[in-house]
Amino acid sequence: MQKLLTIVIPCKNEEKYIARTLYAIMTQKAIDKTKIIIADAYSTDNTVRIVNNIKNKFNLDLDVVIGGLPAVGRNLGAKLAETPYILFLDADVTFTKPNAIKKALRALTSHRYDMVSTTPVYLGEKDWKASFMFWINKWITIALSHKEPFAIGGFTMVCKNSFINLGGYDEKATQSEDWLFSKQVDPKKFLIIPDLMTQDNRRFKKYGYWSMIKLVWRNWRNKNNIDYFYKDQGYWC
């Protein structure tokens, strides 16, 4: 798999999560020596030190490069990738199955799809609101995927040629760059494999449940107004 796949992770100040994510990658089947690119947006905490310690300890094929907002970091990682397939991950994910990455890659190498994504499973303390939000997100995403693909930034695997043809992530977007990118894909060439990864409720805690709901609604209402996504919505404050 190391000749097929590059994993790109944009991050900033992820000292609480990045080690868990890297360990989760290492436990995945058939990805020994897969290239990992960390696009760090000038972290001011111990993120880079932790990454380099893990790299040296386990002799990982891992590079840390200077990134920016997630779209910038993902595009930079994609430019550096020398493999036909790229997996974009967030810095706070783990996996529900030991073959999650292999399963997604198998779908792409079948040449039936250009992009594969998943829906996150809630991981963390008991929080019925977060669990409900994850559940709603799952079924809305699946229902709409046949008309308008949405590959979440937490787990997007794409053919590099398709990535180039689509022009990559829109670096002018202040948020929802993952949706803007993936909705360009032909729905017939897009696949969701549910529940391959986990995330916790930290974004809900940071921004509030109601604020997140309003953000999603505004995004949907303005889905055909690209200028809206270029304005600062306060998401990456």
Side-chain angles (χ1 to χ4, degrees):
M1 190 181 293
Q2 61 266 30
K3 296 181 180 179
L4 292 176
L5 185 69
T6 299
I7 297 175
V8 176
I9 306 174
C11 67
K12 180 177 182 179
N13 295 336
E14 296 285 1
E15 63 180 3
K16 294 181 179 180
Y17 298 93
I18 191 63
R20 187 184 70 181
T21 297
L22 290 176
Y23 286 131
I25 292 171
M26 286 188 283
T27 62
Q28 286 288 292
K29 291 182 178 179
I31 64 164
D32 292 344
K33 299 182 180 179
T34 295
K35 182 76 172 183
I36 302 172
I37 298 174
I38 303 288
D40 181 73
Y42 302 96
S43 290
T44 57
D45 64 0
N46 292 312
T47 296
V48 174
R49 183 180 64 81
I50 291 170
V51 168
N52 285 325
N53 286 344
I54 294 174
K55 170 185 176 178
N56 295 331
K57 181 178 180 180
F58 295 97
N59 194 29
L60 298 180
D61 185 3
L62 185 156
D63 291 334
V64 178
V65 298
I66 297 175
L69 288 176
V72 175
R74 293 186 185 120
N75 285 345
L76 177 58
K79 289 179 182 178
L80 297 174
E82 298 178 349
T83 55
Y85 305 102
I86 305 168
L87 172 60
F88 299 102
L89 293 177
D90 280 348
D92 63 344
V93 307
T94 58
F95 306 100
T96 59
K97 303 173 183 178
N99 66 338
I101 293 177
K102 184 178 180 180
K103 191 172 183 179
L105 185 62
R106 188 183 299 122
L108 286 185
T109 55
S110 71
H111 304 295
R112 293 179 56 194
Y113 304 101
D114 291 334
M115 184 181 292
V116 175
S117 188
T118 189
T119 54
V121 174
Y122 174 60
L123 173 71
E125 66 218 36
K126 291 183 179 180
D127 183 342
W128 71 267
K129 289 183 290 187
S131 297
F132 180 71
M133 294 284 282
F134 274 59
W135 183 84
I136 286 291
N137 172 76
K138 171 181 177 177
W139 292 110
I140 290 177
T141 301
I142 292 174
L144 293 177
S145 65
H146 301 293
K147 181 179 180 181
E148 192 164 281
F150 176 23
I152 59 172
F155 189 111
T156 300
M157 189 179 291
V158 63
C159 301
K160 186 171 183 180
N161 285 341
S162 299
F163 179 89
I164 294 171
N165 292 336
L166 293 172
Y169 289 88
D170 190 337
E171 296 183 6
K172 294 180 182 179
T174 61
Q175 44 93 19
S176 299
E177 74 290 336
D178 46 0
W179 180 43
L180 295 176
F181 173 57
S182 59
K183 74 174 186 174
Q184 303 175 83
V185 179
D186 181 348
K188 295 179 181 178
K189 303 291 286 184
F190 176 75
L191 176 68
I192 290 181
I193 304 175
D195 303 345
L196 293 182
M197 58 163 275
T198 68
Q199 284 184 309
D200 65 13
N201 61 350
R202 67 168 176 156
R203 289 170 180 81
F204 295 122
K205 283 186 173 181
K206 181 176 181 179
Y207 299 105
Y209 291 93
W210 182 238
S211 294
M212 291 294 288
I213 292 172
K214 288 192 293 184
L215 177 65
V216 171
W217 168 245
R218 289 196 303 267
N219 289 351
W220 179 257
R221 190 179 60 191
N222 289 279
K223 65 177 183 175
N224 296 318
N225 176 18
I226 191 62
D227 289 337
Y228 165 81
F229 295 95
Y230 291 168
K231 296 177 182 178
D232 185 7
Q233 305 296 325
Y235 188 73
W236 294 109
C237 57

